[in-house]
Each structure stands twice: as C-alpha cells, then as structure tokens.
Amino acid sequence: MAPTASVHPVDEVPPVGQLAAFGLQHVLAMYAGAVAVPLIVGGAMKLSPADLAYLITADLLVCGIATLIQCVGLWRFGVRLPIMQGCTFAAVSPMVLIGTTGGGLPAIYGSVIVAGLAIVLLAPVFGRLLRYFPPLVTGTVILVIGVSLLPVAGNWAAGGVGSADFGEPKNIGLAAFVLVVVLGVQRFAPVFLSRIAVLIGIVVGLAVAVPFGFTDFDGVGDADWVGISTPFHFGAPAFEASAIISMLVVALVTMTETTGDLIAVGELTGREVGPRSLSDGLRADGLSTVLGGVFNTFPYTAYAQNVGLVGMTRVRSRWVVATAGGILVLLGLLPKLGAVVAAVPAPVLGGAGLVMFGTVAASGLRTLAGVDFKDSHNLTVVAVSVAMGVLPVGVPTIYAKFPDWFQTVMNSGISAGCVTAIALNLLFNHLPSKAGSAPQPTALSPVGGERPAGQEAV
C-alpha cells in the first residue's frame, strides 16, 4: 500500500485479500460496542429475545449503510475518510427513559428521526465553527477520547460488565495473552501482517478461548440464516415533545464527538478536514440517524475505537473501512454470521482494545507536541479539559443528581472534555487580553484556528 504520486493514501484501493482482512479487523474492533446499545435499551424495556435479536440485526445493517455513506460519499453526505459508524452511547440513557416511561419504541424512533433531521440542518453551522478547533483543542479532544475509552477495554479484559466471572484471573490472563500477540506481531511480523496485528491477536485469542471454555458457538445454530429489517417494524413513530427535546440534546453531543473524531482521522491520514468536509461528515451522521429511526435502530456517530485502529495500523484507505461497512451489511442480513462474530469473548476484545484506545490517546499527545506551552494558558486548557473528560469516567455517578439534559452532555467524557476545551480556548486565546499584559501575536492555522506566530502546523 505504498502511496503513488497521483493517489492519496486515503483513496488507494488495496488488493481484495487485504481489503477483506483489514475490513474484518475494523468490524471486530467495533462489534461489541455496536451491539451493546440495542442490548442495553432492549434489555431495559424487557423486550423478548426475538425482538432483541431483531434490534441487533437492524443495528448492524444500518451501521454498515452508515459507514458506506461516510466513507464512499453520496453527493454532500459523507466525509470520504476511513470512518466507522455505530450507535452512540450518548443516547442510551435518554432512550431508556423514553422507552420505559410509556412512550415505547415508537416514541424513541420518532425522536431519533427528528434528531437526525436536525443534525442535517445544523451540519453547515458546525462546519463554520471549525476555526475554534486549533491543534490545542483537537489534540486535547483526541487525548480525552483515548483516555475515556480505556475503561471500556478494561471492562472487556475483566470479562465484560455484568458477567458472573468478572475480574477472574483467567479473563485478565487471556486479555494479556492477546495483548502480547498483538505487540509481537506488530514488532516482528512482515509489514502486511503487522498491519493486521489486531485481527491476528483476536483470531489467536479466539482459538485459545474455545478449548478453555471461554465461549461456545451454540448461538450460531439457533440464529436464522436470513433476516431483513423492514421500516417501522415496531409501529409508526410517535413524536412526543419531551422525547424530541432530550434527543436534540443528544444530537448536539454526538455532533461534538463526531467533530473530534473526524479531525483526528484527518490528522492521522494526512487529509485535512475543512469546514465543507466536516459539514459533509456531520450531514452523513444525520442521514444515518434518520435511517436508524426508520429501520428500527438508533442514532449514529463515528466510532473512536476505529480511529485508534487507523492510527495503529497506518492503513489509511477509506475503501478498507467501506469494506468493513459491507461486512456489517452482510452481518445484518445474515444473522448466523453475526452470531459467529458475537462468539468472540470479551477478554479477547479487551486485550486488543488496550492497544487501540491507547493509540488514540497517544495520537492526541502527538498533536499537542506542536502546541506552544511557553505560558500557562494552553497548559491550563489541556489540564482542565482532560480533568473534566476523565471525571465522569472515573466517577460515573458524579452527576446523578443533576437534570437529565446536563447528564446527557456531561456524563460522556468525550463531550465533557470537548466542550471544556472549546470554552477554555475561547476564554484564554480569543477574548481580549487582561489590561497590562502584552497580547500574543497569532497566525491562522490551515483550518482557521489560531496558533502563536511561527508555530508549524501539525
């Protein structure tokens, strides 16, 4: 996959075998997170096993379609970067509340459709705000994304939240074994194999897990061969004002998170995300969310774990992730295949996740390395933003007494850190200086943000 003079690495099309291997690696990296949202929401609403299975296959189908729209592009929809789409966790709490207080799934889907349309309409507005995302902000947000995801990998490594053997040494041992395999392949294997180190680690980990009783494939035999999600399977959408308002707050949160992910991927791939491409990416999020409401699933956003995979493997082709989208469509149409992927035990994913999520955090540090920290202003922006981003991760119930709309924004470490970084950057670097202090000269960055004069673009 060496770049050519005429084709940017993002637009290169690897051989079919590499496309399949790299694409499957992306699917395995995000699968657990993708199916978690329908499982949580459906479980809270006490849906039948058949309805839960339907939610999962519908989710995988729309995940694939959303990923294809984002990577391949359709007119002004799609950023055309290697971005994997999946259900956002920011919407879980509001959707559980809507679904369990009388509105049911129709009220959830009505609010999701309205939120998706709102994202489409607001996308150009967010595009114009890109000048407020200089390297100081983007580096901080990327760092927060990685750090806030690490507990997810930790929970997987321990056996998965709610598992009977959570924290058993055998689970930690399996995760550590997968981690060692991933690192060994990345360090000693030929270039192509090192790029699929995560996939190899998961496959080897699964091969070890089966004989030791970590998982079984009983669910594969019970799954249907074909399953097609039809529009409004659970009834016509209901448009309730309270549900719509809470989902609009979620829409703002997911737009903020997606902005950070898109900028991160732009830096990792060497293709700058400008106002127009940011708007196109957010517009694709909105369209996918509308499709989610129609096809019995939930709001969609860019998945940060796959951002880490792009940074780790250095495979920058958007067609690799588009292939992953195609695999997800197949999993959504063929539940038996989905059951095979679902058989991968949580500790195996945990070992791989530690590398991927750590890579995201390290990418943020690399971006921050080009920021001027000569005075304490920029240091304060990073310090407080990271603290606010890590706070709800370390103390999940800290905002439990606050209103629902506040919890929706601040319970996500990513959105809390992003909002804080933007606000503090405005406070310290955009508002007029204090009386008696000499203002720092600034120069516009390539994406319109401000950085001290003479500082190179990251």
Side-chain angles (χ1 to χ4, degrees), residues 2 9 44 87 100 126 133 139 187 190 192 225 259 264 301 332 401 440 442:
C87 282
T100 56
F126 259 71
F133 287 85
R187 173 64 180 84
F192 169 68
W225 278 105
T259 297
T301 188
K401 305 293 185 183
Q440 286 186 323
T442 59

Side-chain angles (χ1 to χ4, degrees), residues 77 115-124 255 282-287 290:
F77 294 86
L117 293 173
I119 292 173
V120 172
L121 294 174
L122 290 173
M255 291 180 79
L282 292 172
R283 202 177 281 113
D285 260 17
L287 175 59
V290 172

Side-chain angles (χ1 to χ4, degrees), residues 32-47:
V35 301
V37 174
L39 281 174
I40 294 170
V41 176
M45 295 178 62
K46 297 181 172 21
L47 297 182

Side-chain angles (χ1 to χ4, degrees), residues 4-17:
T4 64
S6 59
V7 180
H8 192 282
V10 167
D11 298 318
E12 286 186 334
V13 182
V16 173

Side-chain angles (χ1 to χ4, degrees), residues 36-71:
V37 174
L39 281 174
I40 294 170
V41 176
M45 295 178 62
K46 297 181 172 21
L47 297 182
S48 67
D51 285 342
L52 271 177
Y54 194 95
L55 283 182
I56 291 171
T57 54
D59 172 36
L60 294 174
L61 175 64
V62 180
C63 274
I65 294 171
T67 299
L68 287 168
I69 293 172
Q70 195 70 275
C71 295

Side-chain angles (χ1 to χ4, degrees), residues 2 42 47 56 100 106-107 116 221 243 268 286 293 300 334 346 407 447 457:
L47 297 182
I56 291 171
T100 56
L268 289 171
Y300 286 84
L334 303 173
Q407 292 186 51
V447 293

